[in-house]
């Protein structure tokens, strides 16, 4: 399980795998090809992650993935980040 998945325990194992690929900001089609899943399944996982994290945008999800990859996710105050995203007052 990735470091981010431990920080965001609501993610399933498959969502964690998709999350780890988002830092490169590939298309959903690229993710589906990489994981050998349908594009619809990849979209489903991304949608679930966005919902679980308070309705954040895909861009914000990609940013969290990149920060996780750089080992910086633990430095974020998750409630502030997600609260900002949920209220759209960033």
């Amino acid at each position: 399980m990735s470091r981010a998945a431990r920080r965001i325990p609501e993610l399933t194992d498959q969502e964690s795998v998709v999350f780890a690929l988002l830092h490169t900001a590939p298309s959903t089609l690229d993710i589906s090809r990489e994981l050998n899943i349908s594009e619809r399944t990849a979209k489903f996982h991304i949608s679930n992650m966005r919902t679980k994290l308070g309705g954040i945008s895909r861009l914000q999800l990609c940013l969290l993935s990149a920060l996780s990859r750089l080992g910086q996710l633990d430095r974020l105050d998750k409630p502030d980040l997600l609260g900002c995203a949920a209220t759209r007052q960033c």
Side-chain angles (χ1 to χ4, degrees):
M1 188 173 286
S2 74
R3 192 177 212 176
R6 287 191 299 272
R7 175 86 167 136
I8 308 168
E10 301 89 11
L11 299 184
T12 66
D13 290 343
Q14 190 66 20
E15 288 168 350
S16 296
V17 172
V18 172
F19 181 81
L21 292 175
L22 283 170
H23 76 279
T24 60
S27 69
T28 306
L29 181 60
D30 292 335
I31 291 171
S32 68
R33 287 178 178 162
E34 176 76 23
L35 298 177
N36 198 27
I37 60 177
S38 73
E39 187 175 8
R40 183 175 178 176
T41 299
K43 285 180 183 180
F44 176 77
H45 290 310
I46 292 168
S47 177
N48 281 348
M49 285 186 281
R50 292 179 59 213
T51 299
K52 287 178 180 182
L53 295 172
I56 64 173
S57 70
R58 182 181 172 127
L59 179 60
Q60 288 169 314
L61 189 61
C62 291
L63 175 61
L64 286 175
S65 177
L67 290 171
S68 171
R69 186 75 173 169
L70 295 171
Q72 301 297 311
L73 192 59
D74 292 336
R75 292 184 176 192
L76 289 179
D77 186 3
K78 182 180 165 190
D80 285 348
L81 177 69
L82 298 181
C84 168
T87 61
R88 306 281 190 247
Q89 296 177 3
C90 301

